[in-house]
Amino acid sequence: MDLLSVHLDKTIDIPLYEQLYEFIKQEIVQERLPYGQKLPSKRKLANHLEVSQNTVETAFEQLLAEGYITSQPRKGFYVLAHGDLEFVEHATKKEISKVAEDTAILFDFSPNKIDTEVFPFSAWRKLNRQVIDETNHDLLLLGEAQGDKELREAIAHYVYHARGIDCDPDTIVVGAGIEVLMQQLLSLLSRSTIFGIEDPGYQLMMKLITHFGFLGRALDMNEEGVSIEAIRLLEPDYIYVTPSNHFPYGTVTSINRRNQLLQWANEAESRYIIEDDYDSEFRYTGKTIPPMKKMDFNDRVIYLGSFSKSLIPSLRISYMILPKSLLEQYRDRLTFHHSTVSRIDQHVLAHFIQEGYFEKHLNRMRKIYRKKFEFVNQLFDPYTPSIQLLGEQSGLHVVCEVRNGLTEKEILRSAEQEGIKIYPISYYASKNAVFPYPQFVIGFAGIAEERLEEAVQHIIKILHQ
Amino acid sequence: MDLLSVHLDKTIDIPLYEQLYEFIKQEIVQERLPYGQKLPSKRKLANHLEVSQNTVETAFEQLLAEGYITSQPRKGFYVLAHGDLEFVEHATKKEISKVAEDTAILFDFSPNKIDTEVFPFSAWRKLNRQVIDETNHDLLLLGEAQGDKELREAIAHYVYHARGIDCDPDTIVVGAGIEVLMQQLLSLLSRSTIFGIEDPGYQLMMKLITHFGFLGRALDMNEEGVSIEAIRLLEPDYIYVTPSNHFPYGTVTSINRRNQLLQWANEAESRYIIEDDYDSEFRYTGKTIPPMKKMDFNDRVIYLGSFSKSLIPSLRISYMILPKSLLEQYRDRLTFHHSTVSRIDQHVLAHFIQEGYFEKHLNRMRKIYRKKFEFVNQLFDPYTPSIQLLGEQSGLHVVCEVRNGLTEKEILRSAEQEGIKIYPISYYASKNAVFPYPQFVIGFAGIAEERLEEAVQHIIKILHQ
């Protein structure tokens, strides 16, 4: 039979068993060894091929494991596979579009960027060195689903001292970004839950909510914060708000409005306020604005915080503080869930907070951003009121309104030609929102200090044609 | 008026503006300053209190920002807030249940554990030190949503050399665990999509799928792999399988069955095979088993891989290789999505793979696990057939069947008393699955070599009463 005709080459680098395995496999695939055919015994084949019985056995075991042959006790080995195995029709090789790469951009004023120049690399490196240590074997295994206790305690300590929130570390959930935490939260809710979202506001959240099959409604803003009339009219169950620093205008929700929102939430068990305490660390006049969670005596506020702006976006660590009712659901129902953040990173961050590096870093960044903020304002000042900066003295971006007759489209076209990325307000607003003049969100944090003047002059040139 | 009666204490550590702010705020909250009341002018108040006008201005600005007062141009400041602001009803302070902590466990045979003794801490530390470097500022900002190119290329290189899969790095999506990637995939699918899952199998996936509102159907297993008859009968759109190393038995899906599954998927555009190439690195006889993705010429296989077992679970890095049709949907529809893995970790892992550490680590771990596997088998050997180990020579656990009349419940009760955690097969199977004898999944990887004998003797004592 064919099988005895195999030639094994002892001079090449491929193990003999593998040569034999490959030969038999090809014989089966090409139907020279048909289904049901009995193979020679291991002893016989070994003798014939002048190899050890062990070699034949290893080859047979691999064929057995991959399901090409079967073993019948006290009878021997039989071909199990049918032929034409590797003849599954080949589709024409499809072209895969490449992951998009940014074309030549001179300056990107994305509000998601931060100043990376003064990140405390050496402290971060030192803490990594300490945590990645032979004595920390345990850190290699899975940790707590809500995030490790050390980090949750450090976060509780931080939100108490920086934001006045007195929370139990056990109500904190750590996750790889606000989007991940929101997805976990959404997965606990009935799909008939209606969301209200500030308009303009954080539109990515609207996309996320609608992507997951929920109804999202745009809530008008006025000078006191999100419109309570809009909430009464549109009847959302959950509202997503940024009360201490509205995105993108920086508006602070008034104390009256905060009370109205809390009263609204208190009226029904199904109502919750999602407070995204976005950029609250960066306020350049007076004290920081206290969060609504601080006034939340009836446990109706889901508090979202992130280290993206305050530390680095690429770390992917955010957290939420859950009201008790939702926390219980989270634990009961997300039992398949593991933490989404590396434990080494969790412990490095916990030390970074505990050992005072984070506070120091925040104070330093606040000064740098304030300086940039003031410089940007100063550069735009001569062009007032035809180019007008809006909003509060806070955050890592300004909103610029253009009142000289240029349209959003015209401005974006010249910006593109100049290699300048600025972000139109329409990107952050619903289709219904009306703006008397074109507005642009201009993130200044990511532009190096020494190039800030040049960068802003590019915008001014574009806007002041 | 009351406001002029404030006493500011220059000897204490609280800034004067903050004392003034706090005083006025309390006056408003306690309704001594009613809604609409005009405040004295800044100049007048400053004179009266013998402080600088700047102090009064800062206090007023904070009150303005928080919405307690309003400013009327050329008229002055008025109380905006209504009283009873901080009188939102206090709910009785609710008790928050603690995050569960493991009680005294002597040995935990969880199949999720790994051997942490020989993790290359020094290489990992070195690579972290190299990546966390002042020259890598860019790594602090957000990266690509699918994961950074460097890591995707390193993974493509690895799956080609270790698993024979020839894939474009642009089809790879990196994420913080298989669950995160599965959630992203699920979010692209119509909720009428039906899933078939191996039974017994990875039950957490069934929980995840049903939690997100999809129908999941249990597919019987036989010696050739998942039952094709069950698939034809239950008509799933997606099947979730572990063809190279079935969980928990280690069964290898036969080449015939693989072809049948691929043929089934080729019959309709809506059908996909999710191949979880779980633990494929750890096989102790012959060559490793090639994945189905290698035979997937029509792009019907979604391949899932993870570094949880092969490196460390707490790193939270997994990946999926998406067919082109799904990749396009992923990019078009998940536009709100950022990567869920720290970029520093991504680059450390990319270097770890590129510089050969990963291969070396895998080879080392394979030897260690093989030795443990053989030792566990040897310890159980004298008790055959009343205690029988099932399955293939692979993976980080064995399945042990108890044929001496003891019930699952009895065994679990004694195990608990002894502080031994073993995992009954019922935990990984649907309610319909029938087992003639109690079976337990026993993960040996996480038990230190020098304590393995003691640990297994505890199990044997429990099973051999």
Side-chain angles (χ1 to χ4, degrees):
Chain A
M1 69 162 292
D2 273 356
L3 195 47
L4 301 178
S5 72
V6 55
H7 171 69
L8 301 182
D9 187 345
K10 295 183 185 185
T11 66
I12 60 173
D13 203 23
I14 301 167
L16 292 175
Y17 91 86
E18 203 172 322
Q19 294 183 42
L20 181 59
Y21 151 81
E22 194 58 46
F23 177 83
I24 300 176
K25 187 172 124 181
Q26 286 310 320
E27 293 290 290
I28 294 172
V29 167
Q30 285 160 39
E31 293 197 287
R32 286 191 293 270
L33 277 174
Y35 179 82
Q37 167 82 54
K38 188 173 190 289
L39 300 185
S41 76
K42 286 185 279 190
R43 190 188 43 77
K44 192 172 163 194
L45 195 56
N47 283 343
H48 179 82
L49 298 174
E50 295 178 346
V51 296
S52 79
Q53 209 167 307
N54 206 30
T55 299
V56 178
E57 189 160 326
T58 312
F60 278 22
E61 270 175 8
Q62 186 69 22
L63 290 163
L64 266 172
E66 295 187 17
Y68 285 96
I69 63 174
T70 180
S71 154
Q72 305 266 341
R74 282 183 302 274
K75 282 185 168 174
F77 295 90
Y78 295 83
V79 174
L80 178 69
H82 294 275
D84 74 6
L85 286 170
E86 294 189 355
F87 297 93
V88 176
E89 180 202 354
H90 277 58
T92 48
K93 186 92 178 170
K94 291 183 190 171
E95 265 297 295
I96 288 143
S97 58
K98 296 283 129 186
V99 168
E101 279 175 43
D102 274 349
T103 47
I105 303 277
L106 189 61
F107 290 109
D108 183 354
F109 288 92
S110 163
N112 288 330
K113 298 214 168 185
I114 59 156
D115 189 321
T116 59
E117 294 293 316
V118 295
F119 178 74
F121 278 99
S122 65
W124 198 255
R125 216 160 31 223
K126 188 189 86 180
L127 294 174
N128 264 277
R129 194 172 62 233
Q130 285 170 9
V131 171
I132 305 171
D133 187 87
E134 281 76 359
T135 57
N136 283 339
H137 277 166
D138 275 359
L139 279 191
L140 305 182
L141 299 174
L142 284 173
E144 296 171 47
Q146 284 183 224
D148 278 11
K149 196 173 174 177
E150 288 79 359
L151 179 57
R152 287 185 286 104
E153 282 177 346
I155 290 172
H157 185 265
Y158 167 69
V159 295
Y160 180 71
H161 288 279
R163 311 294 293 132
I165 297 170
D166 186 9
C167 81
D168 186 322
D170 281 347
T171 62
I172 294 176
V173 177
V174 174
I178 294 288
E179 299 97 342
V180 166
L181 294 170
M182 276 298 290
Q183 285 175 46
Q184 293 177 1
L185 179 63
L186 290 182
S187 82
L188 299 176
L189 308 182
S190 139
R191 211 150 305 265
S192 61
T193 308
I194 299 171
F195 282 80
I197 295 189
E198 294 168 338
D199 181 25
Y202 191 37
Q203 280 296 305
L204 281 190
M205 202 45 72
M206 182 65 103
K207 280 193 191 161
L208 184 143
I209 283 162
T210 52
H211 176 79
F212 284 94
F214 293 88
L215 215 58
R217 289 176 177 162
L219 304 174
D220 293 342
M221 296 292 297
N222 57 36
E223 64 284 357
E224 286 206 62
V226 66
S227 156
I228 192 80
E229 290 76 21
I231 294 173
R232 294 290 177 192
L233 187 71
L234 299 172
E235 300 185 322
D237 304 294
Y238 280 61
I239 59 170
Y240 184 95
V241 291
T242 52
S244 300
N245 182 30
H246 171 253
F247 182 84
Y249 294 119
T251 321
V252 176
T253 301
S254 75
I255 193 77
N256 279 340
R257 184 60 44 82
R258 286 164 189 245
N259 265 282
Q260 288 170 330
L261 297 177
L262 286 169
Q263 297 282 11
W264 165 84
N266 284 340
E267 285 165 19
E269 278 296 312
S270 61
R271 292 182 183 168
Y272 284 96
I273 298 167
I274 303 173
E275 175 177 34
D276 187 348
D277 201 19
Y278 161 81
D279 270 7
S280 60
E281 293 86 357
F282 302 114
R283 209 181 145 68
Y284 311 128
T285 54
K287 304 199 305 170
T288 59
I289 306 291
M292 285 180 70
K293 184 70 189 167
K294 198 181 166 181
M295 302 164 66
D296 174 33
F297 302 112
N298 282 317
D299 225 12
R300 312 308 304 166
V301 175
I302 299 156
Y303 179 89
L304 294 177
S306 166
F307 293 96
S308 288
K309 294 297 188 66
S310 56
L311 194 53
I312 50 174
S314 75
L315 184 62
R316 315 305 298 134
I317 305 189
S318 298
Y319 53 96
M320 61 181 172
I321 305 176
L322 284 181
K324 184 173 182 289
S325 47
L326 291 169
L327 183 68
E328 275 170 5
Q329 282 196 58
Y330 183 95
R331 292 187 187 162
D332 288 350
R333 297 180 51 207
L334 294 187
T335 49
F336 53 83
H337 166 60
H338 299 116
S339 170
T340 50
V341 181
S342 150
R343 284 182 78 196
I344 290 174
D345 291 346
Q346 289 187 46
H347 285 253
V348 168
L349 178 57
H351 285 294
F352 193 79
I353 298 171
Q354 283 158 359
E355 297 175 23
Y357 292 107
F358 186 50
E359 200 187 329
K360 207 171 134 192
H361 180 65
L362 276 180
N363 288 335
R364 189 170 183 191
M365 295 319 293
R366 205 177 288 116
K367 275 188 203 130
I368 289 172
Y369 291 142
R370 181 209 297 255
K371 202 171 154 194
K372 287 190 177 181
F373 173 82
E374 284 170 356
F375 189 53
V376 169
N377 273 270
Q378 192 187 315
L379 292 170
F380 274 106
D381 201 43
Y383 304 93
T384 313
S386 85
I387 304 172
Q388 178 82 47
L389 296 193
L390 311 176
E392 290 285 314
Q393 301 202 23
S394 64
L396 309 191
H397 64 261
V398 292
V399 180
C400 163
E401 188 171 76
V402 186
R403 303 179 181 174
N404 57 11
L406 285 172
T407 65
E408 182 180 298
K409 219 172 158 181
E410 289 165 344
I411 293 165
L412 287 177
R413 202 185 307 124
S414 352
E416 202 187 339
Q417 283 165 1
E418 297 267 335
I420 302 293
K421 279 188 95 165
I422 53 177
Y423 296 78
I425 191 75
S426 56
Y427 188 69
Y428 306 103
S430 77
K431 283 171 193 157
N432 298 327
V434 179
F435 300 94
Y437 302 102
Q439 293 180 5
F440 297 89
V441 173
I442 297 173
F444 54 80
I447 312 284
E449 203 180 327
E450 63 276 15
R451 301 200 68 188
L452 191 55
E453 179 160 10
E454 180 196 349
V456 172
Q457 292 301 357
H458 268 92
I459 302 182
I460 290 173
K461 188 183 147 206
I462 291 160
L463 301 183
H464 201 67
Q465 290 161 346
Chain B
M1 71 160 293
D2 272 358
L3 195 45
L4 301 178
S5 71
V6 55
H7 171 69
L8 302 182
D9 188 345
K10 295 183 187 183
T11 64
I12 59 172
D13 204 22
I14 302 166
L16 291 176
Y17 91 86
E18 201 172 323
Q19 294 183 41
L20 182 59
Y21 150 82
E22 194 57 48
F23 178 83
I24 300 176
K25 187 173 125 181
Q26 286 310 318
E27 292 290 290
I28 294 172
V29 166
Q30 285 161 40
E31 292 196 290
R32 285 191 293 269
L33 277 174
Y35 179 81
Q37 166 85 53
K38 188 171 190 290
L39 300 186
S41 75
K42 287 185 277 190
R43 190 186 45 76
K44 194 173 160 191
L45 196 56
N47 283 342
H48 179 82
L49 298 175
E50 297 177 343
V51 297
S52 79
Q53 210 166 305
N54 206 29
T55 300
V56 178
E57 191 162 323
T58 313
F60 278 23
E61 271 174 7
Q62 186 70 23
L63 290 163
L64 266 172
E66 295 187 17
Y68 285 97
I69 63 174
T70 181
S71 152
Q72 305 267 340
R74 284 183 300 275
K75 281 186 170 176
F77 296 89
Y78 294 83
V79 174
L80 179 69
H82 295 274
D84 74 7
L85 287 169
E86 296 192 352
F87 297 93
V88 177
E89 181 203 352
H90 277 56
T92 48
K93 187 90 176 169
K94 291 182 189 169
E95 265 297 297
I96 290 143
S97 59
K98 295 285 129 188
V99 168
E101 279 174 45
D102 273 351
T103 47
I105 303 278
L106 189 59
F107 290 108
D108 182 354
F109 288 91
S110 164
N112 288 330
K113 299 213 168 184
I114 60 157
D115 189 322
T116 59
E117 294 293 316
V118 294
F119 178 73
F121 279 98
S122 65
W124 198 254
R125 219 162 26 225
K126 188 189 84 179
L127 294 174
N128 264 277
R129 196 171 59 230
Q130 285 169 8
V131 172
I132 305 172
D133 188 86
E134 281 75 359
T135 58
N136 283 339
H137 277 168
D138 275 359
L139 279 191
L140 305 182
L141 299 174
L142 285 173
E144 297 171 49
Q146 282 183 225
D148 278 11
K149 197 175 172 172
E150 289 78 358
L151 179 56
R152 287 184 287 105
E153 283 177 345
I155 290 171
H157 184 264
Y158 168 68
V159 294
Y160 181 71
H161 288 279
R163 309 295 290 130
I165 298 170
D166 186 9
C167 81
D168 186 322
D170 280 347
T171 61
I172 295 176
V173 178
V174 174
I178 294 288
E179 299 97 342
V180 167
L181 294 169
M182 277 298 290
Q183 285 175 48
Q184 293 178 2
L185 179 64
L186 291 182
S187 82
L188 300 176
L189 309 182
S190 137
R191 210 149 306 265
S192 62
T193 308
I194 299 171
F195 283 79
I197 296 189
E198 295 168 338
D199 181 24
Y202 191 37
Q203 280 296 304
L204 281 190
M205 202 47 72
M206 182 65 105
K207 279 192 193 164
L208 185 143
I209 283 163
T210 52
H211 177 77
F212 284 94
F214 293 87
L215 215 58
R217 290 177 177 162
L219 304 174
D220 293 344
M221 296 292 298
N222 57 37
E223 66 283 356
E224 287 207 60
V226 66
S227 156
I228 192 80
E229 291 77 20
I231 293 173
R232 295 287 176 194
L233 186 71
L234 299 172
E235 300 186 321
D237 304 293
Y238 280 61
I239 58 170
Y240 183 96
V241 291
T242 52
S244 301
N245 182 31
H246 171 253
F247 182 82
Y249 293 119
T251 320
V252 176
T253 301
S254 76
I255 194 77
N256 278 341
R257 184 57 47 82
R258 286 164 189 246
N259 265 284
Q260 289 170 330
L261 297 177
L262 286 169
Q263 297 283 13
W264 165 82
N266 285 339
E267 286 165 19
E269 278 296 310
S270 62
R271 290 182 184 168
Y272 285 96
I273 297 167
I274 303 173
E275 174 177 34
D276 186 347
D277 201 20
Y278 162 82
D279 270 8
S280 60
E281 295 86 356
F282 301 114
R283 212 183 140 68
Y284 310 128
T285 52
K287 304 200 307 167
T288 58
I289 305 293
M292 285 182 70
K293 184 70 189 166
K294 198 181 166 181
M295 303 165 65
D296 174 33
F297 302 112
N298 283 316
D299 225 13
R300 311 312 301 167
V301 175
I302 299 156
Y303 179 91
L304 293 177
S306 167
F307 293 96
S308 287
K309 294 295 187 67
S310 56
L311 194 55
I312 50 175
S314 76
L315 184 62
R316 312 308 297 132
I317 304 188
S318 297
Y319 53 97
M320 60 179 172
I321 305 176
L322 283 181
K324 184 173 181 288
S325 47
L326 291 170
L327 183 68
E328 276 169 5
Q329 282 196 58
Y330 184 94
R331 291 185 187 164
D332 288 350
R333 297 179 51 205
L334 293 187
T335 50
F336 53 83
H337 164 60
H338 298 114
S339 168
T340 50
V341 181
S342 152
R343 285 183 77 196
I344 290 173
D345 292 346
Q346 290 187 46
H347 286 254
V348 167
L349 178 58
H351 286 293
F352 193 80
I353 298 171
Q354 283 158 359
E355 296 175 23
Y357 292 108
F358 186 50
E359 200 187 328
K360 206 171 136 191
H361 180 64
L362 277 179
N363 289 336
R364 189 170 184 192
M365 295 319 293
R366 204 177 289 115
K367 276 189 202 130
I368 290 172
Y369 291 142
R370 180 208 297 256
K371 201 169 155 194
K372 286 189 177 181
F373 172 84
E374 285 168 355
F375 189 53
V376 169
N377 273 270
Q378 190 187 314
L379 292 170
F380 273 105
D381 201 44
Y383 304 94
T384 313
S386 86
I387 303 172
Q388 178 83 48
L389 295 194
L390 311 176
E392 290 286 314
Q393 301 202 23
S394 64
L396 308 190
H397 63 261
V398 292
V399 180
C400 162
E401 187 172 77
V402 185
R403 304 178 181 174
N404 58 10
L406 286 173
T407 65
E408 181 179 299
K409 217 170 157 184
E410 287 166 346
I411 293 166
L412 286 178
R413 202 184 309 125
S414 353
E416 202 187 338
Q417 283 165 1
E418 296 269 334
I420 302 293
K421 277 187 95 165
I422 52 177
Y423 297 79
I425 191 75
S426 55
Y427 188 69
Y428 306 102
S430 76
K431 281 172 196 156
N432 299 327
V434 179
F435 300 94
Y437 301 101
Q439 294 179 6
F440 297 89
V441 173
I442 297 172
F444 54 79
I447 311 286
E449 201 180 328
E450 63 275 17
R451 301 200 68 188
L452 191 54
E453 177 159 10
E454 179 196 351
V456 173
Q457 293 300 357
H458 268 92
I459 301 182
I460 290 173
K461 188 183 148 207
I462 292 162
L463 301 182
H464 200 69
Q465 288 161 345

